[in-house]
């Protein structure tokens, strides 16, 4: 079994599990008080050491790290918390069309509560236009939320440039760095980001633990009521084994890990280009996550590919509508302008330290005959993207931006 | 799963007597079904499918059910019959089975409209 779906989640490293175990078996106290009994003290030490490790990884002060249950909670706390704390200064929020659901839905929830929302378009590579963003900023803009890297197509946004621009205008900048964290280092002292989301489970840490960096002086209100934990921003007993595991995952992340992932991605790209026909790489050609390769394969549908590959022992993912319970295709692939039937052939390969060149060889060897077989009985022929009349009508209502018909 | 891995009757018939195309690429599935009719019986049937596992499996099952049936018999094939023959489908995948059955009905309509002049149309109300 080759797991090539590491942008969804990763295998927890054995060293992480080992580091966590004492916090289940021995140091299982809470970290509530400065002077508790010995089990509490040990638990608190573990938690605070973990906070230090996470802080150092982005060159921040430990006091600026708030532990959460992960990406979704960090994004909600950042967006809802910042909006509520700053609503007296304005009601305008800006985000992009390719954010994760927790960002988009948090923004939309605020819109229902009277905030005004602008959602920025991206170009065909998935990049936000900083010039356009600048124009959208108004006097009453309080928050901009743009992800660091996209989890479906891997495009990396110019967050340094955005942070400087928003900072100069006194607007809070939040970035969801879940997919890029450690893979693309961020120095919080050098880049004026106000709020940054991180998560452990995509870097070989456990699920259910993440963090939000909150710059000193950035006003955020808590969105859940309870005790005084996590500087009152996130009440509730902390997930201490999780935080310890998160920190261990950060500690063992190798200095050359990103470079290794990138050379393995290059290997995938080279292998694909010599064996597979009629596909197109999605995402920015250069500004892309080192571990993420995504493409759309013409004439076939992603879920069928996924299921066949799974039977052959390869785990990948797809943005095809068929693979989602709501039957909605990927909003990211739609945002970069792909025609729906082309977006259906989407395949994402996301790599980790546990993947090898041999696995990639096996994967590509398995993929080619599957693609050929499914193409044999596809009603879509190369360059033919017909639609029945009733469907064309439906299509007009569903989607307005189908400009990208040129496939290579 | 068996029907997906080894689907039957996949492909096209170039001189088909009836062709039915249904589907919507926005939701994921597109089917084109071809029938060849002799003495009011479906003597050959082929289908091209662009879609998920359920769409491919139901395409295969629908064609196997319709093969050899008379036109009148084939008209009675419903999506429920197809799904039942596959031992059920998840609720959100039911529309997939609908497509194959719908494509078959459209192919029959196409066949009947072509042969209208030759014999009395047997169109459903």
């Amino acid at each position: 079994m080759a797991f090539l779906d590491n942008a969804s989640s990763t295998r927890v490293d054995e060293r992480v599990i080992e580091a966590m175990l004492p916090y289940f078996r021995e140091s299982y106290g809470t970290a509530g008080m400065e002077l508790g009994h010995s089990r509490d003290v040990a638990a608190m030490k573990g938690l605070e050491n973990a906070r230090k490790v996470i802080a150092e990884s982005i060159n921040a002060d430990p006091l600026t790290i708030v532990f959460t249950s992960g990406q979704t909670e960090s994004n909600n706390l950042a967006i809802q918390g910042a909006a509520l704390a700053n609503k007296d200064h304005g009601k305008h929020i800006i985000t992009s069309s390719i954010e994760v659901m927790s960002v988009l839905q948090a923004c939309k929830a605020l819109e229902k509560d009277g905030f005004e929302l602008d959602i920025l378009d991206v170009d065909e590579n998935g990049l936000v236009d900083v010039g356009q963003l600048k124009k959208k900023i108004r006097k009453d803009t309080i928050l901009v939320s743009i992800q660091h890297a996209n989890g479906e197509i891997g495009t990396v946004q110019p967050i340094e440039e955005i942070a400087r621009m928003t900072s100069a205008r006194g607007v809070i900048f939040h970035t969801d760095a879940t997919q890029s964290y450690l893979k693309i280092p961020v120095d919080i002292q050098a880049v004026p980001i106000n709020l940054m989301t991180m998560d452990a489970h995509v870097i070989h840490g456990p699920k259910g633990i993440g963090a939000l960096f909150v710059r000193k002086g950035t006003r955020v209100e808590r969105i859940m009521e309870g005790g005084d934990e996590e500087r009152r921003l996130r009440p509730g007993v902390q997930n201490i084994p999780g935080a310890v595991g998160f920190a261990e995952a950060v500690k063992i992340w190798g200095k050359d890990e990103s470079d290794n992932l990138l050379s393995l991605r290059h290997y995938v790209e080279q292998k694909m280009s010599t064996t597979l026909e009629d596909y197109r790489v999605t995402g920015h050609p250069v500004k892309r996550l080192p571990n993420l390769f995504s493409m759309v394969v013409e004439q076939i549908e992603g879920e069928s590919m996924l299921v066949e590959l799974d039977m052959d022992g390869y785990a990948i993912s797809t943005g095809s509508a068929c693979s989602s319970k709501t039957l909605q295709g990927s909003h990211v692939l739609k945002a970069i302008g792909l025609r729906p039937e082309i977006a259906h052939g989407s395949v994402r390969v996301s790599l980790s330290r546990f993947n090898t060149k041999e696995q990639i060889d096996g994967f590509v060897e398995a993929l080619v005959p599957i693609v050929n077989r499914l193409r044999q009985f596809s009603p879509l022929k190369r360059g033919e993207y017909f639609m029945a009349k009733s469907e064309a009508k439906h299509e007009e209502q569903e989607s307005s931006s189908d400009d990208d018909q040129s496939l290579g | 799963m068996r029907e997906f891995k080894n689907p039957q009757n996949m492909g096209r018939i170039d001189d088909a007597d009836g062709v039915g195309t249904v589907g919507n690429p926005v939701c994921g599935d597109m089917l084109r079904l071809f029938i060849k009719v002799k003495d009011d019986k479906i003597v050959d049937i082929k289908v091209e499918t662009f879609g998920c596992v359920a769409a491919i499996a139901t395409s295969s099952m629908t064609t196997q059910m319709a093969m050899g049936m008379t036109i009148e018999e084939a008209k009675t094939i419903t999506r429920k019959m197809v799904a039942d023959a596959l031992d059920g489908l998840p609720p959100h995948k039911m529309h997939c089975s609908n497509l194959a059955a719908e494509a078959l009905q459209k192919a029959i309509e196409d066949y009947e409209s072509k042969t209208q002049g030759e014999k009395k149309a047997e169109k459903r109300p």
Side-chain angles (χ1 to χ4, degrees), chain B residues 65-117:
Chain B
M65 288 167 77
M67 181 71 121
M69 277 186 175
T70 65
I71 290 296
E72 283 308 306
E73 285 168 344
K75 278 182 184 174
T76 65
I77 292 178
T78 64
R79 69 174 181 168
K80 189 165 182 321
M81 288 164 69
V82 176
D84 287 347
L86 288 163
D87 294 327
L89 286 168
H92 71 283
K93 289 286 189 189
M94 275 309 286
H95 80 286
C96 306
S97 59
N98 200 16
L99 285 177
E102 204 184 307
L104 174 65
Q105 301 313 328
K106 279 202 179 170
I108 293 171
E109 273 175 35
D110 181 45
Y111 160 72
E112 287 183 336
S113 69
K114 279 178 188 165
T115 53
Q116 232 168 13

Side-chain angles (χ1 to χ4, degrees), chain A residues 202-224:
Chain A
V202 283
I203 53 162
H204 306 291
K207 290 171 183 62
I209 182 80
L212 180 68
F213 159 76
V214 182
R215 185 173 292 279
K216 276 181 198 159
T218 298
R219 295 204 323 184
V220 178
E221 241 172 55
R222 64 181 184 178
I223 55 172
M224 191 163 63

Side-chain angles (χ1 to χ4, degrees), chain B residues 8-124:
Chain B
Q8 305 297 306
N9 304 318
M10 304 307 281
R12 60 161 69 207
I13 302 172
D14 288 333
D15 59 341
D17 296 316
V19 182
T21 302
V22 294
N24 177 358
V26 178
C27 101
D29 305 321
M30 192 184 314
L31 271 87
R32 194 185 271 160
L33 190 140
F34 305 82
I35 51 170
K36 190 94 184 131
V37 182
K38 202 177 174 189
D39 299 335
D40 206 39
K41 266 192 174 172
I42 296 175
V43 293
D44 198 6
I45 182 162
K46 288 266 192 286
V47 62
E48 291 182 327
T49 307
F50 169 73
C52 63
V53 175
I56 292 173
T58 52
S59 298
S60 171
M61 186 52 80
T62 305
T63 57
Q64 287 174 70
M65 288 167 77
M67 181 71 121
M69 277 186 175
T70 65
I71 290 296
E72 283 308 306
E73 285 168 344
K75 278 182 184 174
T76 65
I77 292 178
T78 64
R79 69 174 181 168
K80 189 165 182 321
M81 288 164 69
V82 176
D84 287 347
L86 288 163
D87 294 327
L89 286 168
H92 71 283
K93 289 286 189 189
M94 275 309 286
H95 80 286
C96 306
S97 59
N98 200 16
L99 285 177
E102 204 184 307
L104 174 65
Q105 301 313 328
K106 279 202 179 170
I108 293 171
E109 273 175 35
D110 181 45
Y111 160 72
E112 287 183 336
S113 69
K114 279 178 188 165
T115 53
Q116 232 168 13
E118 296 160 35
K119 55 179 182 177
K120 267 194 178 171
E122 292 175 322
K123 279 205 172 163
R124 288 178 298 170

Side-chain angles (χ1 to χ4, degrees), chain A residues 299-301 303-304 307-308 311-312 321-325 327 340-341 344 373-374 376-381 384 386-388 390-391 394-395 398, chain B residues 1 4-7 10-12 21-32 47-54 56 92-93 95-96 102 106:
Chain A
Q299 296 164 247
I300 50 180
E301 189 280 317
E303 192 208 60
S304 297
V307 170
E308 288 225 29
M311 289 193 266
D312 288 343
C322 294
S323 70
S324 74
K325 284 207 164 156
L327 300 170
E341 67 271 33
H344 271 106
R373 191 179 82 89
L374 292 171
Q376 260 171 24
F377 54 72
S378 171
L380 300 175
K381 296 302 169 212
E384 177 196 7
F386 78 94
M387 272 179 238
S390 59
E391 278 77 58
H394 183 59
E395 160 73 356
E398 285 288 301
Chain B
M1 207 39 92
F4 167 65
K5 199 67 192 165
N6 280 307
M10 304 307 281
R12 60 161 69 207
T21 302
V22 294
N24 177 358
V26 178
C27 101
D29 305 321
M30 192 184 314
L31 271 87
R32 194 185 271 160
V47 62
E48 291 182 327
T49 307
F50 169 73
C52 63
V53 175
I56 292 173
H92 71 283
K93 289 286 189 189
H95 80 286
C96 306
E102 204 184 307
K106 279 202 179 170

Side-chain angles (χ1 to χ4, degrees), chain A residues 205-274:
Chain A
K207 290 171 183 62
I209 182 80
L212 180 68
F213 159 76
V214 182
R215 185 173 292 279
K216 276 181 198 159
T218 298
R219 295 204 323 184
V220 178
E221 241 172 55
R222 64 181 184 178
I223 55 172
M224 191 163 63
E225 289 307 322
D228 293 339
E229 291 90 351
E230 299 298 303
R231 285 170 49 212
R232 302 198 81 242
L233 282 174
R234 205 282 187 174
V237 172
Q238 290 96 335
N239 176 0
I240 296 168
V244 170
F246 185 1
E248 189 65 19
V250 172
K251 275 194 258 176
I252 61 182
W253 187 269
K255 279 204 159 54
D256 50 359
E257 190 139 0
S258 291
D259 290 341
N260 293 343
L261 289 169
L262 183 61
S263 48
L264 196 57
R265 194 195 86 197
H266 284 151
Y267 188 73
V268 175
E269 286 163 348
Q270 179 249 325
K271 193 89 189 160
M272 258 345 145
S273 70
T274 51

Side-chain angles (χ1 to χ4, degrees), chain A residues 133-382:
Chain A
L133 171 60
K134 208 171 172 178
K135 275 185 214 151
K136 292 269 181 196
I137 290 182
R138 321 190 304 215
K139 265 191 180 156
D140 63 339
T141 304
I142 50 170
L143 175 68
V144 170
S145 179
I146 307 283
Q147 64 193 187
H148 190 190
N150 186 273
E152 290 186 44
I153 56 173
T155 299
V156 177
Q157 303 296 344
I159 57 163
E160 294 85 357
E161 202 184 333
I162 296 171
R164 285 193 194 100
M165 193 264 289
T166 49
S167 164
R169 284 159 182 251
V171 175
I172 294 171
F173 176 51
H174 165 248
T175 189
D176 177 357
T178 302
Q179 292 292 343
S180 61
Y181 178 54
L182 302 184
K183 294 172 193 125
I184 305 169
V186 170
D187 180 348
I188 233 68
Q189 305 297 335
V191 190
I193 295 164
N194 297 90
L195 303 159
M196 186 165 86
T197 294
M198 294 162 274
D199 198 315
H201 81 104
V202 283
I203 53 162
H204 306 291
K207 290 171 183 62
I209 182 80
L212 180 68
F213 159 76
V214 182
R215 185 173 292 279
K216 276 181 198 159
T218 298
R219 295 204 323 184
V220 178
E221 241 172 55
R222 64 181 184 178
I223 55 172
M224 191 163 63
E225 289 307 322
D228 293 339
E229 291 90 351
E230 299 298 303
R231 285 170 49 212
R232 302 198 81 242
L233 282 174
R234 205 282 187 174
V237 172
Q238 290 96 335
N239 176 0
I240 296 168
V244 170
F246 185 1
E248 189 65 19
V250 172
K251 275 194 258 176
I252 61 182
W253 187 269
K255 279 204 159 54
D256 50 359
E257 190 139 0
S258 291
D259 290 341
N260 293 343
L261 289 169
L262 183 61
S263 48
L264 196 57
R265 194 195 86 197
H266 284 151
Y267 188 73
V268 175
E269 286 163 348
Q270 179 249 325
K271 193 89 189 160
M272 258 345 145
S273 70
T274 51
T275 44
L276 190 69
E277 285 174 359
D278 301 333
Y279 73 94
R280 175 179 168 154
V281 176
T282 45
H284 196 280
V286 186
K287 296 168 189 163
R288 191 141 50 92
L289 282 172
N291 69 323
L292 197 146
F293 171 83
S294 68
M295 62 177 174
V296 281
V297 183
E298 279 185 53
Q299 296 164 247
I300 50 180
E301 189 280 317
E303 192 208 60
S304 297
M305 262 188 286
L306 183 147
V307 170
E308 288 225 29
L309 283 165
D310 184 52
M311 289 193 266
D312 288 343
Y314 298 94
I316 52 111
S317 82
T318 173
S320 165
C322 294
S323 70
S324 74
K325 284 207 164 156
T326 55
L327 300 170
Q328 294 291 309
S330 152
H331 69 290
V332 175
L333 299 177
K334 193 176 172 189
I336 61 172
L338 286 177
R339 289 173 64 81
E341 67 271 33
I342 297 298
H344 271 106
S346 98
V347 171
R348 179 186 70 181
V349 173
S350 45
L351 307 162
S352 85
R353 69 172 67 122
F354 297 116
N355 295 131
T356 61
K357 281 187 177 177
E358 289 70 35
Q359 288 180 334
I360 302 305
D361 289 341
F363 165 68
V364 177
E365 272 162 37
L367 178 68
V368 171
I370 291 168
V371 168
N372 288 341
R373 191 179 82 89
L374 292 171
R375 269 185 187 153
Q376 260 171 24
F377 54 72
S378 171
L380 300 175
K381 296 302 169 212
R382 210 189 153 193

